[in-house]
Amino acid sequence: MRTRASKALALGAALIVATLGMNSAFADGMQKFKMRFAGGFVQNILQLQVDPMGQPTGVVENRNIVIGKGIGTLGRVDVMGVGFSGPPESDKLCPDGLIKVADIVENNLVLTFNDLSLLYGNGTGVVCSDPLNPTEPPTAEIDGTWDGGTGRFSGASGTWSSQFDFFESVGVATQFVAEAGMLEGYIT
């Protein structure tokens, strides 16, 4: 009987220490994080746009969806993102030697962690292509902000950036891509 009580007490103390450690990490202000992710990306999804009251506007735009998994400083996470790309009209630049083929006008993220805490983000970026290697898939760079969340990320803010280091078409005409990359930045 005493052994069970001792084990239960030790487990309870470990859980409290782990929770306090996680909570104090966010109470200390801006924290740096890194996260590797991998998943699937579906592009060119037609979506009827609506006004702020939810009424259809008659405008149809292309959207894309990413579904993935990640692991890093903040723990294990499921990644869900919805983006909108458009013609290359902004002043955002590609790395040297690459040409811009599209602007990422909007990229919304919801990260769902194992404890069911949510973290919300929004970003913009560029899609770049290598003119010397036209058969290689394009690369994307996105910069964004954290716009709150739930649970341990309630009231979260900060900045993030994402780069892809693997991007490969799956199938011939499906508009489906496997991708992997890094999400990093700061969170308060």
Side-chain angles (χ1 to χ4, degrees):
M1 187 68 137
R2 188 174 252 177
T3 304
R4 280 189 196 164
S6 297
K7 287 180 181 178
L9 185 58
L11 178 61
L15 289 173
I16 289 171
V17 169
T19 303
L20 289 174
M22 185 58 86
N23 288 339
S24 67
F26 292 109
D28 293 338
M30 194 70 75
Q31 300 292 316
K32 187 173 183 171
F33 73 90
K34 278 188 170 185
M35 180 184 311
R36 296 271 317 141
F37 68 88
F41 174 78
V42 182
Q43 55 189 350
N44 298 330
I45 299 168
L46 296 179
Q47 180 183 27
L48 180 63
Q49 299 303 294
V50 296
D51 66 18
M53 300 302 291
Q55 298 300 313
T57 63
V59 175
V60 176
E61 293 180 344
N62 282 335
R63 299 287 178 184
N64 54 65
I65 295 176
V66 63
I67 300 171
K69 295 204 174 279
I71 188 166
T73 311
L74 302 174
R76 291 188 178 275
V77 64
D78 290 323
V79 179
M80 177 64 141
V82 177
F84 168 60
S85 299
E89 300 173 344
S90 78
D91 59 355
K92 293 181 186 274
L93 300 174
C94 289
D96 289 341
L98 301 181
I99 59 169
K100 182 165 54 169
V101 295
D103 277 320
I104 299 171
V105 178
E106 183 177 23
N107 188 56
N108 305 114
L109 291 176
V110 175
L111 305 183
T112 306
F113 292 84
N114 281 350
D115 66 355
L116 299 184
S117 292
L118 301 174
L119 180 59
Y120 314 133
N122 187 17
T124 61
V126 294
V127 179
C128 305
S129 182
D130 184 350
L132 300 177
N133 193 353
T135 60
E136 183 154 328
T139 62
E141 293 188 3
I142 304 168
D143 295 309
T145 59
W146 296 122
D147 301 323
T150 67
R152 63 184 165 126
F153 299 106
S154 181
S157 63
T159 60
W160 57 270
S161 65
S162 180
Q163 302 82 32
F164 302 91
D165 56 19
F166 175 81
F167 187 90
E168 184 175 304
S169 294
V170 178
V172 178
T174 62
Q175 298 288 313
F176 183 64
V177 173
E179 66 181 20
M182 179 73 71
L183 189 67
E184 57 189 322
Y186 294 89
I187 189 167
T188 300

